[in-house]
Amino acid sequence: MDDEYAKLIRRMNPPRVVIDNETLDDATIIQVDSVNKHGILLDVVQVLADVNLVIIKAYISSDGGWFMDVFNVVDRDGNKIRDKEVLNYIQVRLESNDGSAPSVRESVGVMPSQEHTSIELSGTDRPGLLSEVCAVLADLHCNVVNAEIWTHNARAAAVVHVTDGSTGCAINDPKRLLTIKELLCNVLKGSNDLKAAKMSLSAPGGTNRDRRLHQIMFADRDYERIEREEKGSRPHITVLDCLQKDYTVITMRSKDRPKLLFDIICTLTDMQYVVFHGMVSTGPKEAYQEFYIRHVDGLPISSEAERERVMQCLEAAIERRASEGLELQLCTDDRTGLLSDITRIFRENSLCIKRAEISTKDKKVKDTFCVTDVAGNPADPNLIDSIRSQIGPSVLQVKYNAASLAPKPPQETTMKFLFGSFFSGRTFQSFKLIRSYS
């Protein structure tokens, strides 16, 4: 009965979205007002992530049964959002009570789910693993049309969309799918793996792909840090009590990157925590985030073990997608076995793929690979030049080099300012995120 009443309230008070391109010179403001429900913050952030918007500042509030979010956003090039199709998609999607809206997935190269078979994989990471997986799929006449692969803490996870190499349709034959599963699990298992390799088929139209990757790696307990040499700076995370308001306060400071907020909110939501208040502020290279949370049962974090687990899981969520090493982009005509050939060349030249995103649209591929050497160190520039010569300098280009960016020193003043002022009566107007729309 309570659920039906909540649905009625939401129908009587549909979400309202205001998009403002006039107030700020350097960002588009998106304000969302809605009746509160568990997971609504993730829904909103996911919509912004789906169209590749970068959140440079945000204010979150969801106390008292009402939800209000304000985001300052830009595109990947740092510009305000002027594309009317993107703005309309955001408006329609966020104002839809049932979450339905015209999809923009085709515009970013994702095929409708009924046209492919979706495979989820997890196992022990090692050099050459993606190459071996792609070789097996090529031998079984499976064409990889879209995929995303993450590695973290010696674990690997992937969501791969494949079609039959001859028909271009989804693979539905149970015997063939069983063969694919057996061979891929053998590849994923490794020689000394104490954890079982897994392959499963995900339902069409299911959970967002990035969220599934977080869930797969979380289920694989990749947040349990192994003993290894630390490379680069780790996120700085604190979990503190806010006794006067009965919240747990989480603060995070890390290198900024696209989809950082989505990854954090996704993890908190899947761990059954609710964000009641929050602030996000980013600089040229660093992001600061502060959230006031409780468990879905209404209680703050109550034990040191739970506090430690939350810190570990949030650190893993930040690191899984973090840029590590050299980012290469492959743009060329699609053909059967292309991905297998490219990853084989990487493997033969002792490059280790830390992360990959594969996309196909209109028989064109646009693949991104984040690579290091087998020890996790930056790849040799001369070796990269040699590989580009083999594949074609215009076909394989260097997109980003993490090693060339020096880490920014911690900004303690920002942390103290945000944390100290949260409950001091600061309003949306004094936060200078939005103008009044009354």
Side-chain angles (χ1 to χ4, degrees):
M1 191 66 180
D2 290 342
D3 289 343
E4 292 301 319
Y5 179 74
K7 291 178 183 178
L8 175 62
I9 294 297
R10 285 197 294 272
R11 284 197 296 269
M12 293 174 61
N13 298 275
R16 187 173 79 99
V17 177
V18 176
I19 299 177
D20 174 16
N21 252 329
E22 304 300 327
T23 300
L24 298 179
D25 295 330
D26 58 351
T28 298
I29 302 173
I30 299 176
Q31 176 183 331
V32 184
D33 298 286
S34 173
V35 173
N36 196 21
K37 65 175 181 178
H38 181 55
I40 188 172
L41 177 58
L42 177 58
D43 292 342
V44 172
V45 174
Q46 182 175 306
V47 169
L48 301 182
D50 283 347
V51 288
N52 295 317
L53 300 191
V54 177
I55 298 169
I56 58 175
K57 187 176 289 188
Y59 189 101
I60 299 159
S61 181
S62 63
D63 254 348
W66 193 257
F67 171 85
M68 183 174 182
D69 262 13
V70 182
F71 300 96
N72 291 4
V73 299
V74 295
D75 62 20
R76 291 293 179 90
D77 297 320
N79 302 315
K80 296 169 73 169
I81 314 306
R82 301 291 189 183
D83 189 322
K84 292 183 178 179
E85 183 181 355
V86 170
L87 294 176
N88 182 65
Y89 171 80
I90 293 170
Q91 187 100 33
V92 173
R93 179 78 181 273
L94 292 180
E95 289 185 346
S96 172
N97 268 323
D98 58 5
S100 61
S103 176
V104 296
R105 288 190 174 191
E106 291 187 9
S107 68
V108 295
V110 179
M111 296 174 59
S113 57
Q114 66 270 21
E115 295 184 6
H116 62 246
T117 299
S118 185
I119 298 173
E120 297 178 354
L121 307 168
S122 65
T124 301
D125 184 32
R126 65 178 185 277
L129 177 61
L130 180 58
S131 175
E132 294 177 40
V133 169
C134 292
V136 167
L137 292 173
D139 288 343
L140 294 171
H141 306 290
C142 299
N143 186 37
V144 177
V145 291
N146 291 288
E148 191 154 358
I149 298 94
W150 291 359
T151 66
H152 177 251
N153 205 13
R155 307 303 297 171
V159 176
V160 184
H161 297 164
V162 300
T163 59
D164 182 274
S166 57
T167 67
C169 299
I171 302 169
N172 297 312
D173 179 16
K175 290 185 178 179
R176 187 176 179 190
L177 291 173
L178 180 60
T179 300
I180 293 171
K181 180 174 182 177
E182 290 175 348
L183 293 177
L184 287 180
C185 284
N186 286 338
V187 168
L188 289 163
K189 185 177 181 181
S191 57
N192 297 306
D193 189 9
L194 298 178
K195 295 183 179 181
K198 297 178 183 177
M199 182 210 130
S200 60
L201 300 175
S202 58
T207 305
N208 168 275
R209 186 174 70 184
D210 289 0
R211 188 174 184 185
R212 276 302 298 149
L213 284 164
H214 279 297
Q215 292 171 344
I216 292 168
M217 300 207 86
F218 178 81
D220 210 20
R221 304 176 72 88
D222 75 309
Y223 53 85
E224 295 178 340
R225 183 166 293 275
I226 61 174
E227 293 296 328
R228 71 184 193 277
E229 180 184 355
E230 296 295 339
K231 297 181 183 298
S233 58
R234 289 169 57 178
H236 182 269
I237 302 172
T238 63
V239 179
L240 305 171
D241 295 325
C242 181
L243 297 177
Q244 66 271 31
K245 295 292 183 178
D246 207 25
Y247 292 118
T248 295
V249 185
I250 298 177
T251 64
M252 284 161 284
R253 193 171 63 246
S254 66
K255 290 181 181 179
D256 192 27
R257 59 167 176 77
K259 297 189 178 182
L260 177 62
L261 180 59
F262 169 82
D263 294 336
I264 289 169
I265 299 301
C266 179
T267 298
L268 288 173
T269 303
D270 284 340
M271 292 181 73
Q272 300 297 301
Y273 293 103
V274 178
V275 175
F276 286 86
H277 300 283
M279 293 181 182
V280 176
S281 180
T282 66
K285 296 179 184 178
E286 187 179 67
Y288 176 81
Q289 303 190 43
E290 181 176 285
F291 300 111
Y292 290 68
I293 71 165
R294 295 182 187 131
H295 196 267
V296 289
D297 61 11
L299 298 176
I301 292 174
S302 58
S303 70
E304 188 59 35
E306 184 183 3
R307 192 188 314 272
E308 181 66 25
R309 186 167 182 265
V310 168
M311 292 173 63
Q312 287 180 333
C313 292
L314 289 174
E315 182 174 320
I318 293 170
E319 291 179 341
R320 286 170 192 147
R321 207 202 299 259
S323 293
E324 182 179 356
L326 191 70
E327 203 165 276
L328 301 173
Q329 187 169 82
L330 177 79
C331 297
T332 188
D333 295 332
D334 190 24
R335 62 173 174 80
T336 302
L338 173 65
L339 186 59
S340 176
D341 292 341
I342 296 298
T343 54
R344 175 181 51 79
I345 291 173
F346 288 168
R347 185 191 71 224
E348 291 174 348
N349 285 275
S350 300
L351 288 184
C352 186
I353 298 173
K354 295 295 185 180
R355 200 179 71 254
E357 185 171 355
I358 314 301
S359 63
T360 307
K361 183 184 178 186
D362 298 330
K363 298 183 179 180
K364 297 283 186 180
V365 299
K366 186 176 181 181
D367 300 346
T368 302
F369 304 93
C370 191
V371 300
T372 65
D373 68 12
V374 291
N377 299 313
D380 183 348
N382 293 326
L383 178 61
I384 297 299
D385 289 341
S386 174
I387 293 173
R388 291 185 64 213
S389 297
Q390 292 180 56
I391 297 173
S394 62
V395 173
L396 184 67
Q397 298 184 340
V398 176
K399 184 179 178 183
Y400 173 85
N401 189 354
S404 66
L405 299 177
K408 188 177 181 181
Q411 297 182 352
E412 295 294 340
T413 54
T414 302
M415 180 176 176
K416 292 176 183 176
F417 168 76
L418 289 175
F419 186 83
S421 65
F422 191 82
F423 287 114
S424 63
R426 183 172 293 273
T427 66
F428 278 57
Q429 281 72 27
S430 65
F431 193 66
K432 296 183 180 179
L433 278 174
I434 60 171
R435 62 184 178 183
S436 173
Y437 289 94
S438 57

